Amino acid sequence: MVSTNLSLNFPELIEVFDNIPDPILVTEFQADGFIAIVAANNAAVLHFDYTVDELMSKTLKDVTVQDIWEKMNKIDIQSFLEKKYAKFESVHIKKDGSKIPVSVTLRLLSLKNDRTLIINRFQDISDKKDIQTLLETTDQQLQSLFTYNPDIIFMLDENGVFININPAGEDILKYKTAEILKKSYTDFVHPDDRARTIQEFNDVLNQQTVQTKLKIIDHHDQVLQLDITAVPIIINNKVDGAIGVARDITKEREVKEKLLISEQRYRSVLENNIDAVLSFDLGGRFTYVNEATEKMMGYTEAELKGEPFIEYIVPEEKARTISEYSKVLNGKAVQYETCMFNKQKDRVYLHVTVIPIMVNGNLTGVHCIGKDITELKQYEEKLNYMAYHDYLTKLPNQHYFHTKIKEAINTAIEQRSHFSLFFIDLDRFKALNDALGHDYGNMLLKNVARRLKRYIPENAHIFRYGGDEFIILLEDTTKEKATELVEYLMNQLIKPYDLDEMEIVVTPSIGISMYPRDGKDRKTLIKKADNAMYHVKRTGKSNYQFYSASIHNRIIGNFELESLLRKAMDRNEFSLYYQPQIDTNSNKIYGAEALLRWHSRELGLISPNEFIPVAEETGLIVPIGEWVMKEACRQNKEWHDRHFPKFPVSINLSIRQLYQTDLVERLNKIIQESGLDPKYLELEITESMTMDTETTSLILCQLKKSGVKISMDDFGTGYSSLNNLKKFPIDYLKIDQSFIKDIAVNDDDRDIVATIIMLAHNLKIKTIAEGVETSEHVQFLKSQDCNVLQGYHFSKPLPAKDFEKWLINWNKNN
């Protein structure tokens, strides 16, 4: 029943008011400014869900959302009073707190008793609001679809000019949106498709939906394939343009074309493939094999049909093969490698591609293409061998060594055993390689490798570490056993090598480190063995050395020695000592050899055996050798000017000096500046410097033209042979003192010396014997007609002043 604070005398009117379907409130302004509810129909009671009494105790503000109420109060009151009408939207609050959007219509009603009432009529607009929200959401969704769609979405006006395009259009066409909006769609269409596309656009303008594929050209002149669906834009029953979606199918088209070609070749693949092509049923039994399969397996198709293929797989591959095959039964193609037995029970390695056979979406069988990779597997094994072995010597290489020494360390830890590392470097290998060429160098390395393999024991492993370096890993050993082996190897390695009918002697320098005494890890052991070998190199080569702490100090000392050597010439620390050479026939002075001495300010007198190897290695031997040449010429010219007997002074040339391009020019300049007659200068070369016969011969001939004499020092210990001497302009052969030392007691040495003298004389070459220390030496050498003698029997090397005194005294007594 309607609740009202009004006095109404018309029951019929009240009944009508109570049954109006829209909620109606009658309100009245109060003195306190509130708007009181003075009447409400049944629809209003239901609308607010309050009881009659509860509703009548409320004000309009109590049942209206606060911010909406504030907006309502902003209505132009004067306009409402004049028009007596207002309409707006509001939000009511029901008893349970829920909110109802409403449309409010106000009517101002003036009564005869001077009361002014406001008729508030409401309409629930929840549905309208839901629709509005839906429209807003839909608009946002459409905007997201437009913005984030990976396909091109575009709009054209009725002239075909772009009026909108999404970001995907920019990405695919490689144009900015601003550039695209200035263009017609025909600007992008490939000439091949342009005429057709114009017709299709006209179809859209005629209110048709068009699906088409066409080629377009992007900003980088790349041709793309697009799949386009275009529909007309119709506004007020008029076509205003077109909207379209374009999907880039360039890659997809390429794939389809390839698939089409594949399908066309399908039967050829099956029947004529050089690889094995096989088919299986769902139980893994053979249903088809091609001719290549028959050849590979040795079975006919009839023999294989109906047999399960898994029975032919080698045992260790069965589990994995079944696992891969199960993937194919789930519709997935797979590739893997496996191995099977052929009819002869030989292993055949295969790379297989296994493909499900799908017919109308159902799996009906399996295809398999098997490529025979047996040779490839063998090649891989060969590559693996090559990765761990040196291609030249066939020895295990450095990579293999690093693996092996790890194993050796682990074994030594487990068994509490010892092992040793021999670091072997070939002496003068670089000189041989430079002189004779890499072919001879390679031949020598192979010969050394064969000799090492022949003579190492079973518990030793030989590796080529690099260049002319070899490493021997001797397991389960002691220092005593290592010493026995290294001395045995030294004796074997110094024996001559026959390289293409050329007899070559090469000596090794060997450094040895012991596990665990010298180190417990690979790097330390290698470093210390290398240090020991380096020490051998510096102290004369052709020897071996176990690592010790003192070696490390001496290596450091060598670097200090190099630093001091660089300062020696500026400090005038070098001097020449002279050792006389005696003519065997006249017993007179024949000549003298100038020998370099160094008296360091810091270290005192240093042996040539210590500083000469450092000078050669660092290249300082070149300026030092030039100083020797100048000083020897100066001193000999001074002796001549002082009326001493005239005789040649010999000096040693290093291999670095010999191969200087301007050696002859420098020599001529020194001789000219000194004023010495060049016939009184003798240049000594070592036998090892003559390996490159042609080059050496050319250089020596040029030196001979300068008027100097040439002698070959240390003959019999190097690479040369008497036959090669015919090619060199040699004046003297100096027989190495190692042969002279034991001629009194050793028949072999006597025979060697006698043979050298005889053959040299036959070649019209004079001989000089070094290391003459006893009267027995003198007697034997004179008996063999050796021309010149040199050694401590006559005098040790002397400074210039002392040599002058010796010379005066010798001449008096002879």
Side-chain angles (χ1 to χ4, degrees), residues 94-218:
K94 295 179 67 172
K95 184 178 180 178
D96 61 3
S98 60
K99 298 176 177 62
I100 305 173
V102 293
S103 174
V104 180
T105 302
L106 302 181
R107 294 278 185 184
L108 193 64
L109 180 63
S110 299
L111 302 180
K112 292 180 180 180
N113 55 4
D114 293 329
R115 292 180 70 182
T116 302
L117 303 177
I118 303 171
I119 308 300
N120 297 259
R121 179 172 170 268
F122 313 124
Q123 285 186 317
D124 186 341
I125 59 172
S126 297
D127 292 342
K128 175 185 174 183
K129 286 294 183 181
D130 290 344
I131 292 171
Q132 184 177 351
T133 300
L134 179 61
L135 288 173
E136 291 174 355
T137 301
T138 302
D139 182 64
Q140 293 174 4
Q141 292 171 340
L142 289 174
Q143 186 60 40
S144 295
L145 178 65
F146 180 81
T147 303
Y148 298 109
N149 199 311
D151 295 333
I152 302 173
I153 300 178
F154 62 91
M155 295 181 187
L156 306 175
D157 64 14
E158 65 274 14
N159 296 315
V161 175
F162 284 93
I163 57 177
N164 201 0
I165 192 165
N166 69 341
E170 285 187 324
D171 294 339
I172 295 173
L173 298 178
K174 304 297 187 294
Y175 283 94
K176 297 294 184 183
T177 297
E179 297 174 309
I180 296 173
L181 297 184
K182 298 176 183 178
K183 297 179 178 290
S184 169
Y185 74 92
T186 56
D187 294 335
F188 298 91
V189 179
H190 191 280
D192 293 348
D193 292 344
R194 197 166 290 157
R196 173 173 60 83
T197 306
I198 292 172
Q199 179 58 51
E200 290 171 339
F201 180 67
N202 289 331
D203 293 340
V204 176
L205 296 181
N206 289 324
Q207 300 189 23
Q208 296 182 36
T209 297
V210 171
Q211 287 185 307
T212 187
K213 291 180 175 61
L214 73 153
K215 294 181 288 188
I216 59 105
I217 303 172
D218 69 10

Side-chain angles (χ1 to χ4, degrees), residues 30-63:
Q30 300 293 309
D32 57 6
F34 287 98
I35 302 175
I37 300 173
V38 297
N41 66 352
N42 279 336
V45 171
L46 294 173
H47 175 72
F48 288 102
D49 205 20
Y50 283 103
T51 65
V52 173
D53 293 337
E54 288 173 333
L55 189 58
M56 296 300 294
S57 66
K58 304 287 183 182
T59 68
L60 193 58
K61 182 178 179 181
D62 294 332
V63 295

